[in-house]
Amino acid sequence: MKYQEAIIEEILTAAFQDEALRDAYYEAAQEKKFKKGDLLLEQGQICRYTYILLSGAVRGFYLKDGREVTTSFCFAGDVVLSLESATRLTPSPESFEVLEDSLVEVVSVEKMARLRERFPVFEKVWTLSMEAYAIWLEERLASLQFATAKERYEQLVARYPEIVRQVQLGHIASYLGITLETLSRIRAKG
């Protein structure tokens, strides 16, 4: 996924040199601060906004039988949205919780679609983002099916070295599909 992220950053840096594009984007985007514990999107709501994290951390989770199951973490530079809900205009199956005070650019899904129509570079970035997301999903699925708990933890920390400082261990354990006790043993053996 790092490959797509580098290309996206390069494309956006060049694109934002265009004053018309930059003005159109910042007219559509609104910078907002969110506090730890805020929900960007709650399960059952329709996702009407794209959230771009400028700083902070967010986790995605499902509520299953009264228990929260963490499915993703997002950090500065990441986009947060329920793709299914935003695309199909159906209730989101997941919630997104702010894990630490965060600064976020918020753009409505409608305005983002108009930007993609008006400026082909946004469509290119969207396509690369969807490729990166699909690759991440493939990696996540393979990890859950074939990697040991220790390997999953090591992969997570390699990808997000700061995660243990930004995210509660209970959320990390949930994401890895293990108990907190198992996570503690893995970390102790380090």
Side-chain angles (χ1 to χ4, degrees):
M1 189 152 77
K2 295 294 182 192
Y3 176 75
Q4 280 85 357
E5 291 169 353
I7 292 172
I8 290 168
E9 186 175 333
E10 190 177 295
I11 290 170
L12 286 175
T13 299
F16 272 79
Q17 301 305 308
D18 178 336
E19 189 176 340
L21 179 143
R22 189 175 56 245
D23 290 349
Y25 177 79
Y26 286 114
E27 186 177 305
Q30 190 176 26
E31 202 170 278
K32 288 188 173 184
K33 292 180 180 179
F34 290 90
K35 296 278 187 205
K36 179 180 179 175
D38 287 348
L39 290 178
L40 298 180
L41 178 67
E42 191 169 352
Q43 184 176 350
Q45 294 177 335
I46 294 176
C47 183
R48 300 194 186 278
Y49 297 95
T50 301
Y51 303 93
I52 300 119
L53 263 60
L54 301 177
S55 67
V58 170
R59 78 175 174 117
F61 68 93
Y62 286 74
L63 194 57
K64 180 73 174 159
D65 300 325
R67 202 184 77 164
E68 293 179 0
V69 179
T70 300
T71 55
S72 63
F73 296 109
C74 302
F75 301 98
D78 289 340
V79 174
V80 178
L81 85 152
S82 170
L83 185 59
E84 177 184 4
S85 176
T87 303
R88 296 181 174 169
L89 297 177
T90 57
S92 175
E94 62 189 320
S95 295
F96 292 101
E97 175 189 21
V98 176
L99 296 178
E100 61 185 26
D101 292 354
S102 299
L103 184 61
V104 181
E105 280 182 351
V106 181
V107 184
S108 78
V109 171
E110 284 180 31
K111 287 180 181 177
M112 188 61 81
R114 278 186 255 146
L115 285 170
R116 288 170 41 209
E117 288 173 7
R118 184 172 168 203
F119 300 98
V121 69
F122 282 121
E123 189 63 35
K124 173 81 172 165
V125 167
W126 177 259
T127 300
L128 288 168
S129 297
M130 291 304 102
E131 287 176 4
Y133 181 64
I135 290 166
W136 175 81
L137 283 174
E138 286 180 354
E139 290 171 349
R140 174 94 168 115
L141 181 60
S143 177
L144 287 171
Q145 289 189 311
F146 304 115
T148 66
K150 183 178 189 289
E151 290 169 337
R152 290 195 304 273
Y153 176 73
E154 289 169 348
Q155 290 166 358
L156 182 65
V157 172
R159 184 178 193 100
Y160 304 111
E162 302 296 317
I163 196 164
V164 291
R165 288 201 331 240
Q166 291 180 283
V167 176
Q168 294 175 19
L169 293 179
H171 296 323
I172 293 172
S174 173
Y175 176 80
L176 296 172
I178 60 177
T179 65
L180 189 53
E181 293 76 21
T182 300
L183 178 58
S184 294
R185 280 195 300 277
I186 290 170
R187 293 187 61 200
K189 292 178 184 177

